[in-house]
């Protein structure tokens, strides 16, 4: 049931951002607005959750970089809120260790979300960054 709610929220969020992409398509293309590589074709749905995911993927396929990043951030926030709401009604959620884990998950999700808005901050970008001092000239003797 929780996954069905997440899928429905994702579809609603994608559909609400589609007009923003439509408007951006009329503006001159900026490097960060260009369309990215296409997403894989979704499989044909067999139940309600897969139907939501199918149409969400079809909408997301038309997003450029800017709108896709915005969509993913909002989708992560909505998904996290559904998880927190569902977890609130479990008796295990009042265990101090569970509360600490939920707090850690929330902090990690917020950090990942904020990292996407920093230049070069998307996941996986840190592997491509140079590290260390770089080339250093040998000392003159």
């Amino acid at each position: 049931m929780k996954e069905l709610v997440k899928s429905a929220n994702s579809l609603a969020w994608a559909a609400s951002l589609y007009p923003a992409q439509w408007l951006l398509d009329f503006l001159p293309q900026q490097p960060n607005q260009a369309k990215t590589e296409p997403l894989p074709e979704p499989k044909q749905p067999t139940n309600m959750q897969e139907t939501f995911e199918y149409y969400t993927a079809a909408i997301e396929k038309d997003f450029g970089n800017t709108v896709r990043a915005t969509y993913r951030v909002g989708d992560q926030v909505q998904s996290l809120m559904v998880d927190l709401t569902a977890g609130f009604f479990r008796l295990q959620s009042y265990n101090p260790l569970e509360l600490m884990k939920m707090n850690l998950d929330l902090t990690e999700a917020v950090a990942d979300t904020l990292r996407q808005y920093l230049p070069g901050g998307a996941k996986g970008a840190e592997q491509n960054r140079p590290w260390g001092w770089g080339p250093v000239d040998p000392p003159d003797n």
Side-chain angles (χ1 to χ4, degrees):
M1 183 67 175
K2 185 170 69 168
E3 295 303 317
L4 177 66
V5 172
K6 286 182 185 181
S7 298
N9 285 345
S10 294
L11 177 60
W13 179 235
S16 69
L17 287 177
Y18 192 75
Q21 180 61 52
W22 187 73
L23 289 173
L24 286 174
D25 286 342
F26 283 109
L27 298 175
Q29 289 291 316
Q30 301 295 324
N32 64 343
Q33 290 176 346
K35 300 280 185 184
T36 57
E37 59 192 53
L39 296 172
E41 285 294 322
K43 63 179 183 165
Q44 284 293 86
T46 57
N47 59 32
M48 186 61 82
Q49 178 183 341
E50 289 180 2
T51 302
F52 288 148
E53 291 169 356
Y54 178 82
Y55 286 108
T56 301
I59 293 171
E60 187 182 359
K61 200 165 42 168
D62 287 339
F63 288 164
N65 287 341
T66 304
V67 178
R68 187 173 290 169
T70 304
Y71 165 75
R72 289 191 174 154
V73 168
D75 192 44
Q76 287 173 353
V77 169
Q78 289 186 113
S79 178
L80 181 65
M81 294 309 291
V82 170
D83 286 340
L84 289 175
T85 303
F88 180 73
F89 294 109
R90 296 181 324 181
L91 287 177
Q92 296 169 342
S93 63
Y94 298 104
N95 178 351
L97 292 176
E98 282 291 319
L99 288 172
M100 201 162 59
K101 182 183 179 310
M102 283 180 16
N103 189 18
L104 181 63
D105 291 344
L106 177 64
T107 304
E108 184 177 315
V110 168
D112 287 343
T113 300
L114 293 176
R115 190 177 299 123
Q116 291 183 9
Y117 282 106
L118 297 174
K123 284 186 178 181
E126 57 268 1
Q127 289 130 4
N128 298 329
R129 287 189 199 149
W131 57 277
W133 291 96
V136 178
D137 295 332
D140 294 332
N141 289 343

